[in-house]
Amino acid sequence: MAQQSASKPSVNSGQAVELSLIAPTYNEKENITPLVERVHQALSKYSYELIVVDDNSPDGTSGVAQSLSSEYPLKVIVRTSERGLASAVVAGFDQARGQVLGVIDADLQHPPEAIPALLEAIRGGADVAIASRYIEGGSIEGWSTKREVISKGAKLLATILLPSTREIKDPLAGFFLFKRKVIDGAVLTPTGYKILLEVLVRGNASQIAEVPYTFKERERGKSNLTFMEQLNFLKHLSRLAWFEGDIKRFLKFCVVGASGTLVYLGLLALLTEMAGLFYALSAVLGYEISILNNFIWNDIWTFRDKRASARGSVLIRALKFNLVSLVGLGIHEAVLIFFTEVAGLFYVLSAIIAILCAMLWNFFANVKWTWRPRA
Ligand SMILES: Nc1nc2c(ncn2[C@@H]2O[C@H](COP(=O)(O)OP(=O)(O)OP(=O)(O)O)[C@@H](O)[C@H]2O)c(=O)[nH]1
Ligand SMILES: [Mg+2]
């Protein structure tokens, strides 16, 4: 594997490098010099290039960066017609020569000293190596409770909506490396702030490693994270979720659920009125048959693509589906009673909340358990 000494390879030599590290910048004049120096020191044993993508920052970041480019393996791209972190990173990928690509913030919140451990994880076989705040040994310095809650909420949303991020502790990280082949043929759409999500969802990584680090407080310059960016994140998430297919799957699951309700009500009336059964007994029979109805439609339609790879036989899946639905019924009851009795809501309103909670439970439990693929 290519390894070089701390010499300073010429940036435009066209020489292959192992790592291309992209640092997007907007008004980072005070941070750019220490960033370039610390990256160079950390990567003294590796062949790399640092690509700074600056959106014509008014504070003159690009000028400072350009003045360093004769001394370090540094390429500076200045964009004048576009603005935005994600598109800046993608522009950097387009110019990168390395077999490994990486992203780091320029404000030194991502310590460059953590890069070698990430690169070693890639050398060890990982397709993507994430610098993680949320695994043992990782941490965050100086966040307000509000910032922490927003971040945790965003992470929860991502893991609910995007199956490919579910096993990852820090899927919203902005500091990561990955093998170039992960995004071969993938079309990255540079919206939003979270470029790692694009790589994970649209790319084809199978081995993912997380390496702990401490997310530092910003010492110089100002944050660019705006409320608009946070809204953009939601838009980005929904686009990725649609792409991954789980929103479509959830909608199908809801349609099947609605058909089950019709089956239940129909049987309840039919068995009680025509067959003369006691209505509570009709309800039990109707309920069980509606669960079976839902299972069959989900198996042949909603989870059609998962059927062949699912762990158990059709009988086992039907049994698991039944159990999940029974727990769902329990959740429905508990939520209904809680919101009516404790929170004092009108019981129909509580029932709507209860249906939603049980539906979400049923969906995720079935994704995770009933149609879980064999290892
Ligand atoms: N090229 C480019 N870079 C940007 C843009 N917005 C932010 N950046 C850079 O992207 C990196 C992360 O932005 P920050 O403003 O630090 O956002 P953050 O780290 O999520 O938020 P803080 O924790 O508050 O600093 C920094 O290196 C910024 O300079 C942009 O519009 N264009
Ligand atoms: Mg920052």
Side-chain angles (χ1 to χ4, degrees), residues 23-28 31 35 52-57 77 79 82-89 104-110 143 147 193-194 215-218 222-226 229:
T25 57
Y26 196 76
N27 288 340
E28 301 289 1
N31 290 316
L35 173 82
V52 166
V53 188
D54 185 69
D55 288 353
N56 209 14
S57 303
I77 300 171
R79 305 191 312 161
E82 227 179 323
R83 177 73 217 275
L85 183 141
S87 65
V89 171
I104 187 168
D105 281 1
D107 56 6
L108 301 170
Q109 290 187 286
H110 299 154
W143 266 12
R147 183 88 198 254
Y193 221 57
K194 302 295 176 188
F215 185 83
K216 301 279 183 194
E217 248 180 295
R218 192 187 248 278
K222 273 210 319 257
S223 168
N224 293 293
L225 184 64
T226 58
E229 283 297 349

